[in-house]
Amino acid sequence: MRVHFIAIGGSVMHNLALALHAKGFQVSGSDDEFFEPSKSRLAAAGLLPKETGWHADRITPDLDAVILGMHAMSDNPELVRAKELGLKVYSFPEYLYEQTRDKRRIVVGGSHGKTTTTSMIMYVLRKLGRDFDYMVGAQIEGFDTMVRLTKDAPIAVFEGDEYLSSTLDKTSKFLRYKPNIAIVTGIAWDHINVFPTFDGYVDTFRKFAKSIEPNGKYIYFAEDENLKSIGSELRADIAIEPYRGLKYTIEDGRVVVEEGGKRYVMSVFGKHNMQNMNAAMLACEAVGISRDEFLTAISTFSGAAKRLQTLCETSKAIAFLDFAHSPSKLKATTNAVRERFPNRKIVAVMELHTFSSLNKEFLPQYAHSMDAADEAIVYFNPKEIEHKRLQPIATEDVARAFGKDRLSVYTDTEQMVAHLRSFDYTNAVLLIMTSGNFSGLDLRELAKSLINK
């Protein structure tokens, strides 16, 4: 098979390219810029193009498939050439389905927790020696790539994103996967550039649930009324399984889960992680893994990258990095840290970075999302707002939206860092939350410098 990637440098795209290369496909690709780690990883596999940019002559009639990334626009010269030649053009979720159509697919959707839940399923399957394909949106310890595709693995585990598939395919990615087992962790309005109304956002999850294959399973968070309503609309052949968080206690700062008369000490914490864990356990149970096997295996799971990831720790303080950026994620993460460290001062800093978070009309969704922190700081870069062509926002708009005392808002990283340095981190937790990097900061080094001062 000969496959060409338009926008091969993307996070998931380059991982899919590496997976197909490992499967024995002939892989080529183009992009107008490359960043690390994709640049080095593609180079090591011999897949890095000799020159950047789009080159229509790379699209030849003998290609079996062209895979189009979100970064490529509709007037991309390679895409134009592929259409002229009548080649089959796939979005990457379409191609993932094509490669796994004969496998049992577990797909994890939801506005929050899907990366962690997917990672938990993958971690347990691997620890128990089960063979499976996968696609996940973060680097996980012990896994070389974010995508794996094989000929013989009977199971495929996908993180199901509701965002658009490609510039040609305006369908939510997870609608392309046709799950046998579908998990939805919860619905909290996001991606307002694609889903301008909450009802429209809910509807794409309704379509996802209805895309479950015959005799499949719908696993959903029981406390979400929208998900409950969706479940009531599904076909009779689909098994419906609501879930809540696993029962647990906190002993000496560690989470102890109680299940079936046994106790399991876990390496992750927070109510949201106990909910994610239960969803992952139910999915694994559906493919023949007992609850005891699952909980024993998952006890050593320390989390996916940037999901309450420990950056550094001293005898007096600890610093975490989390991908949280939407209101629901922000609140869940801050509350989880408060629950685990009830007697420590929590200094929480977050970055407004996404299209939704920088939208003035969306800001009120953040009300009280950082209330569990003792000191809260919000940063945003006005240049990002200009780049996204959004209405300008002022620091006062942000402060008013969050509605929290002891909250500071910055648009300058030096001023923000100076404020962070003013705190005493004795018996403290530093919580850094962002889907970006605060306009270029080395977050690990920053955390070390703060809690070691």
Side-chain angles (χ1 to χ4, degrees):
M1 292 286 290
R2 293 197 63 230
V3 178
H4 181 83
F5 285 76
I6 302 177
I8 196 173
S11 177
V12 175
M13 289 284 280
H14 91 270
N15 274 281
L16 178 55
L18 293 171
L20 293 178
H21 177 67
K23 195 177 178 180
F25 284 33
Q26 292 184 45
V27 176
S28 61
S30 302
D31 215 322
D32 57 356
E33 55 185 353
F34 290 90
F35 299 102
E36 297 297 349
S38 63
K39 184 176 182 179
S40 296
R41 299 179 79 198
L42 288 170
L47 301 180
L48 185 69
K50 293 181 180 179
E51 55 182 335
T52 59
W54 314 114
H55 304 274
D57 57 0
R58 293 179 181 173
I59 308 301
T60 54
D62 58 342
L63 287 172
D64 295 292
V66 173
I67 303 175
L68 182 66
M70 277 297 295
H71 176 55
M73 297 295 100
S74 58
D75 61 351
N76 183 286
E78 295 187 10
L79 174 58
V80 171
R81 178 63 173 155
K83 292 167 73 174
E84 289 174 350
L85 292 174
L87 298 176
K88 178 61 180 175
V89 179
Y90 296 88
S91 62
F92 88 77
E94 284 182 299
Y95 203 72
L96 283 176
Y97 172 74
E98 288 298 319
Q99 290 291 302
T100 59
R101 59 167 56 243
D102 297 325
K103 302 174 187 282
R104 197 170 185 195
R105 291 175 301 285
I106 302 172
V107 183
V108 183
S111 304
H112 42 254
K114 54 184 174 285
T115 300
T116 298
T117 305
T118 307
S119 302
M120 288 177 171
I121 296 169
M122 291 168 53
Y123 185 88
V124 169
L125 290 175
R126 176 172 234 183
K127 196 163 186 182
L128 296 178
R130 300 287 290 270
D131 191 19
F132 63 100
D133 292 348
Y134 61 82
M135 187 281 293
V136 65
Q139 198 63 51
I140 304 172
E141 185 177 351
F143 291 84
D144 294 333
T145 61
M146 294 159 58
V147 180
R148 180 180 189 247
L149 294 171
T150 65
K151 179 181 178 182
D152 298 323
I155 297 170
V157 183
F158 294 157
E159 177 179 342
D161 184 0
E162 69 271 22
Y163 202 74
L164 302 182
S165 296
S166 76
T167 189
L168 293 184
D169 184 359
K170 304 299 184 181
T171 305
S172 291
K173 294 187 185 80
F174 61 16
L175 298 183
R176 295 300 184 189
Y177 296 141
K178 302 179 183 178
N180 302 96
I181 301 165
I183 295 173
V184 187
T185 60
I187 298 177
W189 193 22
D190 201 357
H191 306 308
I192 65 171
N193 54 321
V194 177
F195 306 102
T197 67
F198 180 67
D199 287 344
Y201 187 63
V202 172
D203 191 55
T204 201
F205 286 94
R206 179 176 292 106
K207 292 175 181 175
F208 172 60
K210 291 183 177 181
S211 73
I212 296 172
E213 294 278 52
N215 302 308
K217 175 168 280 194
Y218 173 63
I219 301 170
Y220 74 94
F221 182 53
E223 295 174 27
D224 190 308
E225 289 301 318
N226 289 296
L227 295 181
K228 182 178 179 181
S229 176
I230 288 170
S232 70
E233 302 170 9
L234 297 183
R235 306 185 311 269
D237 64 285
I238 298 176
I240 298 174
E241 189 154 16
Y243 70 90
R244 289 179 168 83
L246 292 170
K247 293 181 180 180
Y248 69 97
T249 56
I250 297 179
E251 301 174 12
D252 297 324
R254 302 295 295 274
V255 170
V256 180
V257 168
E258 300 176 9
E259 174 69 32
K262 295 183 67 174
R263 290 159 52 86
Y264 305 85
V265 179
M266 298 298 166
S267 301
V268 294
F269 62 93
K271 289 181 180 179
H272 63 302
N273 270 329
M274 296 305 104
Q275 294 163 8
N276 297 336
M277 192 175 290
N278 200 3
M281 182 172 71
L282 293 174
C284 286
E285 192 173 38
V287 293
I289 294 170
S290 72
R291 296 189 176 194
D292 178 61
E293 287 176 316
F294 176 89
L295 292 169
T296 300
I298 201 66
S299 65
T300 52
F301 175 76
S302 58
K306 298 184 180 180
R307 271 68 178 182
L308 278 174
Q309 175 186 353
T310 301
L311 289 178
C312 49
E313 184 173 8
T314 69
S315 59
K316 66 177 183 178
I318 187 169
F320 293 105
L321 174 63
D322 197 273
F323 189 72
H325 54 85
S326 68
S328 60
K329 294 174 184 176
L330 203 62
K331 186 173 184 177
T333 300
T334 311
N335 287 348
V337 172
R338 170 54 68 204
E339 182 184 46
R340 182 178 174 187
F341 301 99
N343 300 316
R344 290 199 184 192
K345 178 175 69 178
I346 297 175
V347 178
V349 54
M350 73 86 59
E351 178 181 16
L352 299 172
H353 181 70
T354 64
F355 185 97
S356 295
S357 68
L358 291 170
N359 189 297
K360 192 171 185 177
E361 294 182 2
F362 188 78
L363 278 177
Q365 302 290 325
Y366 283 95
H368 306 295
S369 58
M370 295 179 77
D371 282 2
D374 298 292
E375 302 283 353
I377 297 172
V378 178
Y379 168 81
F380 70 93
N381 187 340
K383 291 182 180 178
E384 280 292 325
I385 298 175
E386 293 177 17
H387 177 70
K388 290 177 169 63
R389 299 179 181 179
L390 292 168
Q391 179 183 357
I393 58 175
T395 56
E396 294 80 10
D397 298 325
V398 175
R400 189 181 310 112
F402 276 78
K404 173 179 170 52
D405 295 332
R406 302 182 69 84
L407 180 139
S408 303
V409 184
Y410 290 97
T411 59
D412 181 280
T413 53
E414 290 186 5
Q415 293 177 6
M416 181 193 73
V417 170
H419 189 180
L420 285 169
R421 294 195 189 283
S422 71
F423 297 123
D424 178 5
Y425 290 91
T426 302
N427 195 37
V429 179
L430 172 63
L431 175 58
I432 302 173
M433 296 175 284
T434 179
S435 60
N437 57 19
F438 292 85
S439 302
L441 291 180
D442 185 325
L443 299 179
R444 187 180 295 276
E445 288 304 313
L446 173 62
K448 286 180 180 178
S449 69
L450 292 173
I451 72 171
N452 283 293
K453 67 172 186 173

